[in-house]
Amino acid sequence: MIQAKVAEILESDQFLQEFKVSGWVRSFRSNRFVALNDGSTINNIQCVIDFEKFNPETLKRITVGAAISVKGILKESEGKQQRVEIDAKEVTILGDANPEEVKLTILSPKRHSLEKLREQAHLRVRTNTFGAIMRVRSKLSFAVHSYFQQNNFYYVNTPIITGSDAEGAGEMFKVTNFDLKNPPKNEDGSIDYKKDFFGKETNLTVSGQLEGETYALGLGQIYTFGPTFRAENSNTSRHLAEFWMIEPEIAFCDLDGNMDLAEDFIKYVVKYVLENCKDDLEFLEQRLANEDKAKPAAERSEMGLIEKLKFVLENNFKRVSYTEAIDILKDSKPNKKKKFKYIIEEWGADLQSEHERYLVEKHFKCPVILFDYPAKIKAFYMRLNEDGKTVRAMDILFPGIGEIVGGSQREERLDVLKEKMAELGIEEKELWWYLDTRRFGTCVHSGFGLGFERLVQFVTGMGNIRDVIPFPRTPQSAEF
């Protein structure tokens, strides 16, 4: 007897061989046909029961959601819906699921809204949609590590608890060991963080970039892939309070090399899932097509999901300066007719998602890399250009979501970096260790950050970022 996963059995040609498979009941028709799924594939294995040969009490317990194990003979299926099926000889009930209670959950066969599924995040992975999303997410994670390991990058675990705000963005979660009802105070009434666990004010990290840079300037090229946190009180389909970031940093690499790396990396991981998640992507493509039918024509996707992924693979990313992009946007129809929510009036404007998507979807019709942004709208660590007003920054823009990658050549000149920190009120003593990397063998170096959930969103076609992470953390929500 062979014990196997559903995915393996569906591919097997070992007919008349006895198999054992365990999983959860998706349906039980005519007291005869059990659709069984174990999470290894979106497809179910049909187990055929000769009900006259089974105990009626056992048959009563084969209900939707129940966990069972089946032993039987693999046969070519007589039905057209599947290639193979199992002629069940023995069924063991491993865990019951009361049909009346199942009716109250998302395990019941009727269709449920994504909002309803979020309320039962502990069960939603048993649905086709979320099983597919999470298998794709897993394969994408593997592809991320595969790409960097094959290209001789070293994986570095940067700290989750940090005393620095890498982005200068504020909105960080504080980490403290104090009794919040009675924290120690200084004479001026402020909280005395010297008495806290770490002896200073600390937060959950928003980025591993600054620490990553220090390791790149020793190991040559590194990447981080870990959780990051932002206390932004934003209840949108684009924001999470806890999310995962991929952040490579490369020594002896300028902005052009950084753009080459980012494009090559994205194409590798997209190609990997196209080759390894065929069934799940086909299901998600159909789900997206059905969802699109309910939308006004103007809001529908121009491309199917798989076509969109191939579109990324088959097109070179168009490289456009921020200045050129502003000229295009100022002259665009939606800007002139005031259709944009944020009208572009002058150079220096911070681009919004609507502008980014216009450039990708309407103007260039391919992925776009914007570079050389105004220094005033970018972070202190980005290298200042010779013009004194732009920095060597780059953002990669994708159809459907806008910015997916943000990166830059880092400012390697100690004097310029100190000036920029002073302008923004960042104290040198807070980042003395970061400045040291510019004192001892500084060199041109670059890196970028890619929000992993944004990537999963793009690849799965899901419209809400809360649907591509197992247990979303958002304002007023930390259930499960």
Side-chain angles (χ1 to χ4, degrees):
M1 185 185 67
I2 302 167
Q3 186 155 344
K5 294 287 186 188
V6 170
E8 296 163 345
I9 296 172
L10 291 172
E11 294 295 316
S12 178
D13 289 321
Q14 291 177 280
F15 299 117
L16 304 181
Q17 174 73 47
E18 188 178 24
F19 279 85
K20 179 184 177 185
V21 61
S22 302
W24 295 274
V25 176
R26 285 291 176 86
S27 68
F28 186 26
R29 293 183 294 113
S30 311
N31 229 20
R32 183 171 171 79
F33 302 106
V34 179
L36 198 65
N37 191 283
D38 63 358
S40 61
T41 168
I42 196 157
N43 302 308
N44 305 320
I45 182 77
Q46 178 165 284
C47 304
V48 183
I49 289 174
D50 183 347
F51 58 85
E52 292 175 350
K53 295 179 180 174
F54 280 81
N55 183 335
E57 290 306 308
T58 300
L59 296 179
K60 276 184 198 169
R61 293 170 67 192
I62 303 174
T63 58
V64 171
I68 68 171
S69 136
V70 177
K71 287 181 189 172
I73 306 299
L74 186 69
K75 294 186 172 179
E76 288 189 68
S77 180
E78 293 174 19
K80 291 180 180 175
Q81 298 299 312
Q82 57 279 320
R83 190 180 69 88
V84 299
E85 62 189 22
I86 289 179
D87 183 4
K89 302 299 179 192
E90 188 181 318
V91 174
T92 306
I93 310 295
L94 304 175
D96 290 287
N98 183 322
E100 293 307 309
E101 291 177 4
V102 165
K103 277 182 193 171
L104 305 175
T105 73
I106 58 173
L107 298 179
S108 60
K110 67 177 185 179
R111 291 182 68 83
H112 301 279
S113 69
L114 292 172
E115 191 61 51
K116 182 76 174 169
L117 293 169
R118 278 175 222 129
E119 290 169 12
Q120 297 181 28
H122 61 305
L123 296 176
R124 67 179 182 171
V125 75
R126 292 209 212 170
T127 66
N128 280 338
T129 298
F130 283 88
I133 292 165
M134 294 308 158
R135 279 188 293 271
V136 171
R137 183 183 169 108
S138 174
K139 291 290 187 190
L140 269 173
S141 295
F142 181 78
V144 168
H145 286 292
S146 294
Y147 177 83
F148 287 118
Q149 293 294 329
Q150 285 172 27
N151 286 283
N152 300 312
F153 280 69
Y154 296 101
Y155 178 40
V156 172
N157 304 114
T158 53
I160 287 172
I161 298 172
T162 175
S164 65
D165 176 359
E167 296 288 335
E171 298 170 330
M172 300 176 79
F173 288 103
K174 292 203 182 313
V175 175
T176 180
N177 210 28
F178 284 154
D179 174 359
L180 295 183
K181 291 176 185 168
N182 188 28
K185 303 276 181 75
N186 294 310
E187 286 180 14
D188 63 2
S190 60
I191 293 173
D192 183 4
Y193 284 103
K194 285 181 181 169
K195 293 190 173 130
D196 206 351
F197 188 92
F198 293 106
K200 65 184 288 189
E201 205 169 342
T202 52
N203 308 289
L204 293 180
T205 185
V206 295
S207 165
Q209 181 209 312
L210 301 189
E211 294 90 347
E213 278 187 56
T214 70
Y215 263 64
L217 298 175
L219 292 175
Q221 46 188 34
I222 65 94
Y223 70 105
T224 75
F225 185 6
T228 50
F229 308 84
R230 195 155 288 175
E232 189 176 344
N233 191 8
S234 184
N235 251 317
T236 76
S237 61
R238 291 167 53 82
H239 290 92
L240 290 167
E242 177 184 89
F243 50 98
W244 287 65
M245 285 288 286
I246 299 154
E247 296 176 295
E249 291 291 329
I250 320 98
F252 315 113
C253 175
D254 63 10
L255 187 70
D256 289 328
N258 201 29
M259 292 192 277
D260 291 342
L261 175 74
E263 180 171 347
D264 192 51
F265 164 68
I266 289 172
K267 287 182 171 177
Y268 176 93
V269 297
V270 168
K271 184 168 185 260
Y272 186 88
V273 290
L274 277 169
E275 289 173 352
N276 291 279
C277 303
K278 190 169 175 290
D279 289 347
D280 287 324
L281 288 176
E282 283 174 0
F283 170 83
L284 290 166
E285 178 170 62
Q286 189 57 54
R287 190 209 71 83
L288 184 62
N290 292 339
E291 187 179 77
D292 264 3
K293 285 175 190 170
K295 292 179 180 175
E299 289 176 29
R300 291 176 194 167
S301 306
E302 287 185 14
M303 288 183 257
L305 180 62
I306 292 169
E307 187 187 354
K308 188 174 69 172
L309 298 178
K310 287 180 176 173
F311 171 81
V312 167
L313 285 189
E314 291 160 8
N315 285 282
N316 290 328
F317 294 8
K318 179 77 176 170
R319 299 184 185 187
V320 183
S321 74
Y322 167 90
T323 302
E324 186 186 339
I326 285 290
D327 290 341
I328 291 165
L329 290 166
K330 272 165 64 176
D331 204 35
S332 69
K333 261 190 194 171
N335 201 60
K336 285 178 171 174
K337 293 188 173 180
K338 301 205 173 341
K339 292 278 174 70
F340 281 144
K341 188 177 174 186
Y342 299 93
I343 302 301
I344 298 290
E345 291 173 345
E346 58 187 23
W347 190 93
D350 203 350
L351 300 187
Q352 304 297 318
S353 179
E354 60 179 346
H355 308 131
E356 294 166 344
R357 289 184 61 180
Y358 173 83
L359 291 168
V360 174
E361 295 165 27
K362 305 294 183 201
H363 188 83
F364 290 109
K365 296 191 182 329
C366 67
V368 173
I369 310 183
L370 292 188
F371 62 91
D372 285 356
Y373 279 79
K376 285 189 174 151
I377 60 170
K378 289 293 181 181
F380 74 94
Y381 49 73
M382 298 187 175
R383 193 185 200 277
L384 194 64
N385 280 319
E386 305 313 315
D387 61 14
K389 61 176 192 170
T390 60
V391 287
R392 299 250 74 196
M394 65 101 172
D395 286 347
I396 300 184
L397 316 179
F398 263 26
I401 52 175
E403 183 201 331
I404 193 166
V405 166
S408 73
Q409 188 173 319
R410 312 312 190 190
E411 183 53 79
E412 85 282 9
R413 298 163 297 184
L414 180 63
D415 55 336
V416 180
L417 186 59
K418 284 165 84 169
E419 271 176 45
K420 290 175 81 175
M421 287 170 63
E423 280 171 26
L424 293 167
I426 300 168
E427 292 186 35
E428 289 184 25
K429 67 178 182 183
E430 286 296 317
L431 290 176
W432 62 272
W433 50 273
Y434 186 67
L435 292 170
D436 264 4
T437 59
R438 275 64 174 175
R439 288 191 180 97
F440 309 123
T442 189
C443 66
V444 168
H445 62 288
S446 301
F448 63 82
L450 184 154
F452 184 55
E453 282 71 29
R454 289 262 175 100
L455 178 64
V456 182
Q457 249 193 298
F458 178 74
V459 170
T460 59
M462 298 305 292
N464 194 316
I465 201 162
R466 299 173 193 203
D467 296 329
V468 296
I469 192 167
F471 298 101
R473 297 290 178 249
T474 55
Q476 302 299 306
S477 176
E479 197 68 70
F480 313 105

